[in-house]
Amino acid sequence: MKITQVSENIWSLRTWAIIPIHVWVVTEEDGLTLVDAGIPTMGKGIRKFLKQLKAGPLKRILLTHGHSDHVGALNKVLQEQPVPVYAHRMEIPYMEGEITYPGRKKPAQSIEKHLAQPLKEDENGNLLRMGALTPYITPGHSPGHVVYYHEKDQVLLAGDLFTSKNGKLHRPIPMFTADMEKAIRSSEVVRQLKPKRLEVCHGNPVLHPVEDLDNYIDRTLTKQKVLKS
Ligand SMILES: [Zn+2]
Ligand SMILES: [Zn+2]
C-alpha cells in the first residue's frame, strides 16, 4: 500500500485492484478519522498505519457512499477499534440492501444493518461538521454520495464524485454511476469551496480543481449528449 502525506493533517493510502483505490486518514484534536474503507485487502495496512502514526486512537469512520470498494475493510478495522461509522441517511438503505441502487438489477448489501449511522444534520438539513471535516451532499454517482472538506488544509476528499487523469477532472466511472447528469451538477461544490487540492478514490489528486471545472462540465456534458443521440 502506498502512503502519501496529502497536507498537514491528511494522509492517503492507496492500493490497486485494476484501478487505484484510496482511503484517507485525518489527524484530529481527539485522535484520527478514517474516510472510506476501501477493499478487504486494505484492512491490515490501514490498521498498521493508524498505529504507526502515533496520533491517538481512531475516533470515527466517514463514508462517501456505500459501494463495495468503499466499505470493504470496515469489519477488519472495527474489529480492532469499534468506532461509529457515518454515511448520509439517503445512502444507508441502499448499502444495507433495503433498496436497489438506480441502474442496478437487484439490491446489493455492502454493509451490515445498523452498522452505519446517519451523518448529523441541523434543523435545516445542513450536514454538521465531523471533526475537522464538513460533509456536503453530492448525489449522482450514488443517491446519497457525500464529499468531505477539510477547511484548514483546503483539501476536498471527493470520493467518486470524479475520477481524474493527468491532473484533470474526469467523470465518475459510468458503469457504476446512477445519474451522470446529477453527478455533473453536484460538481459545483468545487466552485463553492475552491479547494487547493482535490482527492478522488480512483485517480491521482487534482490541484486547484476550480480552474478545470468549466472545462470538465463542458467535456462531460458533450460526452453525455453524444451517448444519448
Ligand atoms: Zn462508487
Ligand atoms: Zn469507487
Side-chain angles (χ1 to χ4, degrees):
M1 204 152 58
K2 191 183 171 216
I3 295 163
T4 308
Q5 184 165 9
V6 165
S7 62
E8 197 189 335
N9 295 290
I10 305 175
W11 278 259
S12 76
L13 283 64
R14 188 195 71 192
T15 193
W16 279 85
I18 307 172
I19 50 170
I21 298 174
H22 290 85
V23 303
W24 300 275
V25 174
V26 181
T27 55
E28 305 269 11
E29 274 169 20
D30 62 351
L32 299 169
T33 298
L34 174 66
V35 178
D36 277 354
I39 53 172
T41 52
M42 297 177 84
K44 210 171 149 193
I46 295 171
R47 269 162 65 155
K48 192 171 147 207
F49 180 68
L50 292 172
K51 272 194 208 137
Q52 230 172 25
L53 256 184
K54 293 194 169 52
L58 181 67
K59 290 302 237 187
R60 61 191 75 78
I61 301 174
L62 305 178
L63 301 174
T64 58
H65 63 302
H67 288 164
S68 57
D69 55 326
H70 296 253
V71 300
L74 265 184
N75 285 341
K76 191 103 202 193
V77 174
L78 291 171
Q79 260 169 25
E80 185 147 292
Q81 287 173 303
V83 295
V85 178
Y86 296 93
H88 196 276
R89 63 179 160 77
M90 304 254 293
E91 188 76 3
I92 293 174
Y94 294 96
M95 50 206 279
E96 289 186 343
E98 284 284 309
I99 37 180
T100 307
Y101 275 111
R104 303 248 176 124
K105 287 205 176 78
K106 50 180 202 258
Q109 185 176 6
S110 61
I111 185 171
E112 278 164 47
K113 285 215 163 128
H114 313 300
L115 187 62
Q117 49 184 298
L119 286 163
K120 296 185 177 106
E121 297 177 23
D122 67 15
E123 60 275 18
N124 300 317
N126 298 310
L127 295 167
L128 299 183
R129 187 205 276 232
M130 305 290 293
L133 296 166
T134 308
Y136 292 85
I137 177 83
T138 49
H141 175 70
S142 74
H145 186 280
V146 293
V147 296
Y148 294 99
Y149 190 49
H150 195 294
E151 277 99 8
K152 187 163 171 279
D153 291 6
Q154 292 174 270
V155 174
L156 185 63
L157 304 177
D160 284 358
L161 178 57
F162 305 99
T163 57
S164 69
K165 223 180 266 171
N166 306 322
K168 302 269 186 210
L169 299 169
H170 277 253
R171 61 184 179 165
I173 301 170
M175 193 171 48
F176 301 115
T177 298
D179 184 337
M180 188 64 80
E181 278 167 30
K182 212 179 228 180
I184 297 168
R185 282 200 294 281
S186 288
S187 69
E188 288 291 338
V189 72
V190 168
R191 205 182 313 274
Q192 182 190 341
L193 299 172
K194 299 185 180 57
K196 267 193 193 157
R197 175 175 178 134
L198 178 142
E199 292 272 319
V200 297
C201 183
H202 311 300
N204 291 323
V206 178
L207 302 179
H208 304 287
V210 74
E211 291 170 10
D212 187 37
L213 186 67
D214 284 326
N215 243 316
Y216 163 75
I217 294 171
D218 283 351
R219 288 196 298 270
T220 314
L221 280 177
T222 310
K223 246 181 224 159
Q224 284 301 105
K225 277 177 200 139
V226 170
L227 284 175
K228 275 187 174 170
S229 60

